[in-house]
């Protein structure tokens, strides 16, 4: 990392080192420095989502289905994810308020205790907007949000374990306000990760006519990663010979009606180049 950036971050941390090999590597109990935990560790998932969400929104808007985007109709799952995300945003902004309450607003603006939760809260609002947009375009699961919630959960676990170990070292057990919020934030983040990875959104306007075939695009993220959406076909093939009705339904972009025109266009273009 650039020395100027490192010095700037360490200045924000009141001179505490951003990286210390004796804390992270040359020790029996490796950990990250408090400055690293307050800044880089909390910024990683935020930067990921803030950088990739405009691309995700652009892809959704450029799809053919975006021209016929539906009004947002919420299911119990989508409402639960929205409430959890708003709760995490509220807790992040509550951290900012506590920092301002302890210090003056001018002093707090340059402290990582204010910058990091403010960035987290803004990112949570962006995540809520991405969820809302994906549901409007009838997306049942989101790989981007799954990665974001996974990184957020990992970062919170690292922060929490460091604080717990720090309490054992202290002679007197003293908890500050932000440390009390951390377990609650971790619980909400784990719940959000679980709902995003293991469930798919349904739409109230679906009247039960949706195909029950095991299809990749209708599977949760974890099912797609573990290939467990294919389990039903394997079980059926073990019990009896498969029939045409047992086969999965291809997604629209894999069907011949979508792929053949693209192939024919590429074939014609290549043929024309060869003739020249």
């Amino acid at each position: 990392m650039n020395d100027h950036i490192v010095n700037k971050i360490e200045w924000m941390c009141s001179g505490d080192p951003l990286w210390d090999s004796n804390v992270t590597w040359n020790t029996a109990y490796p950990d990250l420095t408090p400055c690293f935990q307050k800044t880089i560790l909390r910024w990683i998932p935020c930067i990921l989502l803030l950088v990739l969400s405009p691309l995700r929104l652009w892809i959704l808007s450029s799809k053919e289905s975006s021209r016929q985007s539906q009004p947002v109709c919420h299911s119990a799952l989508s409402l639960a994810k929205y409430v959890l995300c708003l709760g995490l945003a509220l807790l992040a902004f509550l951290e900012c308020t506590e920092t301002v309450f302890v210090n003056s607003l001018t002093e707090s603006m340059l402290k990582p205790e204010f910058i990091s939760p403010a960035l987290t809260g803004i990112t949570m609002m962006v995540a809520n907007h991405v969820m809302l947009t994906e549901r409007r375009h009838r997306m049942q699961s989101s790989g981007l949000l799954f990665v974001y919630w996974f990184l957020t959960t990992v970062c919170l676990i690292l922060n929490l374990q460091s604080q717990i170990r720090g309490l054992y070292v202290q002679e007197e057990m003293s908890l500050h306000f932000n440390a009390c919020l951390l377990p609650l934030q971790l619980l909400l983040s784990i719940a959000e990760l679980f709902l995003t990875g293991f469930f798919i959104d349904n739409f109230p306007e679906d009247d039960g006519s949706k195909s029950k075939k095991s299809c990749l695009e209708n599977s949760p993220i974890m099912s797609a990663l573990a290939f467990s959406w294919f389990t039903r076909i394997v079980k059926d093939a073990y019990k009896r010979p498969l029939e045409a009705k047992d086969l999965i339904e291809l997604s629209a972009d894999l069907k011949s009606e979508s792929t053949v025109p693209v192939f024919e266009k590429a074939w014609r273009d290549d043929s024309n180049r060869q003739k020249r």
Side-chain angles (χ1 to χ4, degrees):
M1 189 181 293
N2 189 284
D3 290 340
H4 176 71
I5 298 176
V6 172
N7 293 333
K8 198 73 174 177
I9 295 176
E10 290 179 347
W11 174 79
M12 291 168 53
C13 296
S14 302
D16 293 339
L18 180 64
W19 187 264
D20 189 347
S21 299
N22 293 327
V23 175
T24 306
W25 298 111
N26 306 323
T27 177
Y29 303 99
D31 202 353
L32 298 169
T33 64
C35 182
F36 192 95
Q37 295 182 39
K38 295 176 185 177
T39 55
I40 303 297
L41 190 63
R42 297 193 65 173
W43 296 350
I44 289 174
C46 299
I47 293 174
L48 173 77
L49 187 65
L50 293 176
V51 170
L52 295 183
S53 57
L55 178 61
R56 176 61 172 165
L57 296 175
W58 177 79
I59 291 175
L60 289 174
S61 64
S62 62
K63 281 189 174 182
E64 188 71 21
S65 60
S66 65
R67 300 176 184 175
Q68 301 174 349
S69 61
Q70 303 292 327
V72 179
C73 297
H74 296 293
S75 63
L77 177 62
S78 65
L79 282 175
K81 291 195 291 187
Y82 295 145
V83 170
L84 288 173
C85 191
L86 288 175
L88 284 166
L90 179 62
L91 292 178
F93 291 130
L94 200 58
E95 281 189 71
C96 298
T97 305
E98 193 269 343
T99 303
V100 174
F101 180 78
V102 173
N103 309 279
S104 65
L105 179 60
T106 306
E107 294 178 357
S108 301
M109 294 291 288
L110 299 177
K111 286 181 174 291
E113 291 84 357
F114 178 86
I115 296 175
S116 295
L119 181 62
T120 300
I122 293 172
T123 308
M124 295 293 176
M125 302 304 293
V126 173
N128 233 340
H129 178 67
V130 172
M131 280 192 285
L132 193 66
T133 305
E134 287 182 336
R135 184 160 183 81
R136 184 178 295 116
H137 294 290
R138 303 182 65 83
M139 303 297 296
Q140 294 181 297
S141 59
S142 174
L144 173 62
L145 291 178
F146 176 77
V147 172
Y148 169 69
W149 293 121
F150 175 77
L151 290 177
T152 300
T153 302
V154 170
C155 293
L156 288 172
I157 290 174
L158 292 175
N159 273 320
L160 183 60
Q161 65 85 26
S162 181
Q163 289 197 9
I164 292 175
R165 287 163 56 178
L167 290 176
Y168 280 105
V169 175
Q170 295 177 4
E171 296 182 357
E172 296 182 0
M173 299 289 286
S174 59
L175 289 175
H176 54 84
F177 180 74
N178 291 348
C180 297
L181 291 180
L182 190 55
L184 182 56
Q185 290 174 318
L186 178 58
L187 288 176
L188 294 181
S189 181
I190 291 175
E192 190 76 65
L193 176 65
F194 181 76
L195 294 179
T196 304
F198 291 91
F199 297 92
I200 59 172
D201 271 337
N202 293 318
F203 300 92
E205 60 268 23
D206 292 339
D207 55 359
S209 60
K210 185 176 69 173
S211 173
K212 295 183 180 180
K213 297 180 180 179
S214 175
C215 185
L216 178 58
E217 66 180 357
N218 292 327
S219 301
I221 296 297
M222 291 304 299
S223 176
L225 293 176
F227 213 67
S228 60
W229 57 273
F230 196 68
T231 303
R232 184 188 64 82
I233 295 181
V234 175
K235 289 182 178 179
D236 291 343
Y238 178 77
K239 295 176 182 178
R240 56 177 174 79
L242 291 178
E243 301 176 2
K245 63 180 181 180
D246 298 320
L247 300 180
I248 64 173
E249 182 179 352
L250 293 175
S251 58
D253 57 339
L254 295 179
K255 292 182 178 179
S256 58
E257 60 188 19
S258 300
T259 58
V260 170
V262 176
F263 173 79
E264 290 180 342
K265 181 179 182 303
W267 181 272
R268 288 193 300 268
D269 294 341
D270 188 68
S271 299
N272 293 334
R273 283 194 297 268
Q274 294 295 331
K275 293 177 182 179
R276 293 175 184 174

